[in-house]
Amino acid sequence: MKQRILTAVIAAAIFIPFVIYGKIPFILVTYLMATIALYELLKMGKQSIFSIQGVLSVLLLWVVLWPDKYIHAIERFGFEKLEYIFVITLLYLSYSVLTKNAFTFEKIGFHVISSLYVGMGFHYFIEVRSIGLTYVFYALLIIWATDSGAYFVGRALGKNKLWPEISPNKTVEGALGGIICALIVAILFSVFSNMDLSTIKLLVMAVLLSIFGQIGDLAESAYKRHFGVKDSGNILPGHGGILDRFDSLLFVLPLLYFFNQL
């Protein structure tokens, strides 16, 4: 527990100043975290990032991550973002031919989905930060409240398993407790924050973000169980890897961004 708390304090002390400052330093840190997360995911699937297919996955990740604000920088060569993604996909297929199908179609799918999953989640971390710092803290606090509520309510009242095939310790009561705690956070934000959103919209967002945050957590639990690993990595002692810490946010941040556009 002490190690877990110490790691959390040190990580927050390093990470939060970048979030607050934003701009290019925050984007670079996001690129770094996303690349580490991709490394962790590929490693779970027994794929090396230090290979031709791994390099292609990193390139795909970096293209997907590219901020909308600077989209003109990569489109100046006459290609749109989606066209770069298509070209990289063709390179995967070409490499499959060159390896005489040693790099199989299934492995191509794993690499592409891994890069898109990690890339899109962290891309919207950048985009949500561009909307405003308050939105980032709203997402973070919704996730933390959901996790804490699910843990404590689940331990105190949990009887009915939520999804035992994937995560045997999670309960329906815990999941509902997490949603209730997220609603409390939304109410506090409606009173004390400068978010230009109605209380009703904040409450609806809180419910959706809490639900999808828990789905994101279950999704990572599912592929960790599939690959037979306990944690995605060990870069954060007591917490696992980057992917372990951002699994919920990778689902929540795109949803928050889309919901804010309505």
Side-chain angles (χ1 to χ4, degrees):
M1 180 60 73
K2 289 182 179 179
Q3 183 186 56
R4 187 177 178 88
I5 294 173
L6 180 62
T7 299
V9 171
I10 294 174
I14 296 172
F15 176 63
I16 290 179
F18 284 100
V19 177
I20 293 173
Y21 184 77
K23 302 177 184 177
I24 297 297
F26 170 70
I27 293 173
L28 292 176
V29 168
T30 303
Y31 262 75
L32 175 61
M33 291 190 302
T35 304
I36 295 171
L38 178 63
Y39 164 79
E40 293 172 347
L41 188 50
L42 293 181
K43 186 179 179 182
M44 280 194 286
K46 296 181 174 55
Q47 295 291 303
S48 174
I49 201 170
F50 304 107
S51 60
I52 292 177
Q53 61 267 38
V55 170
L56 289 175
S57 294
V58 171
L59 289 176
L60 178 56
L61 173 76
W62 288 356
V63 170
V64 173
L65 276 171
W66 197 266
D68 293 346
K69 181 179 179 180
Y70 301 107
I71 198 66
H72 61 277
I74 62 171
E75 291 185 347
R76 66 194 304 177
F77 301 107
F79 297 99
E80 295 182 358
K81 191 172 182 178
L82 184 61
E83 292 170 328
Y84 283 103
I85 293 172
F86 177 63
V87 168
I88 295 172
T89 303
L90 292 182
L91 290 175
Y92 278 122
L93 294 168
S94 300
Y95 184 61
S96 177
V97 172
L98 291 174
T99 62
K100 299 179 181 178
N101 209 34
F103 180 55
T104 64
F105 193 78
E106 288 77 10
K107 290 178 181 177
I108 293 173
F110 174 68
H111 277 260
V112 172
I113 291 296
S114 296
S115 296
L116 291 178
Y117 160 58
V118 174
M120 292 301 290
F122 279 102
H123 168 77
Y124 284 105
F125 195 12
I126 297 171
E127 297 308 312
V128 168
R129 177 61 186 88
S130 71
I131 297 173
L133 181 61
T134 306
Y135 286 81
V136 174
F137 284 117
Y138 176 76
L140 290 172
L141 287 173
I142 287 290
I143 292 304
W144 292 339
T146 297
D147 288 346
S148 299
Y151 177 76
F152 289 110
V153 173
R155 287 197 66 179
L157 304 174
K159 294 180 180 179
N160 300 290
K161 298 297 183 182
L162 179 65
W163 214 293
E165 296 84 0
I166 293 176
S167 186
N169 294 326
K170 287 181 170 42
T171 64
V172 174
E173 293 81 3
L176 294 174
I179 294 172
I180 292 171
C181 289
L183 285 170
I184 294 172
V185 168
I187 292 170
L188 292 174
F189 264 81
S190 71
V191 175
F192 296 108
S193 80
N194 60 353
M195 293 178 74
D196 189 23
L197 296 170
S198 68
T199 301
I200 294 298
K201 194 169 185 178
L202 279 172
L203 293 174
V204 172
M205 273 204 314
V207 173
L208 290 174
L209 298 184
S210 182
I211 291 171
F212 276 88
Q214 294 184 66
I215 292 174
D217 183 56
L218 286 168
E220 199 211 5
S221 295
Y223 55 70
K224 284 194 295 186
R225 182 172 289 270
H226 174 74
F227 291 125
V229 298
K230 182 178 182 294
D231 295 314
S232 66
N234 54 15
I235 193 171
L236 300 170
H239 291 265
I242 295 293
L243 210 54
D244 291 313
R245 292 302 89 209
F246 281 84
D247 52 1
S248 295
L249 281 169
L250 294 182
F251 274 61
V252 161
L253 290 167
L255 186 63
L256 175 59
Y257 181 84
F258 299 148
F259 201 90
N260 184 66
Q261 304 305 307
L262 297 177

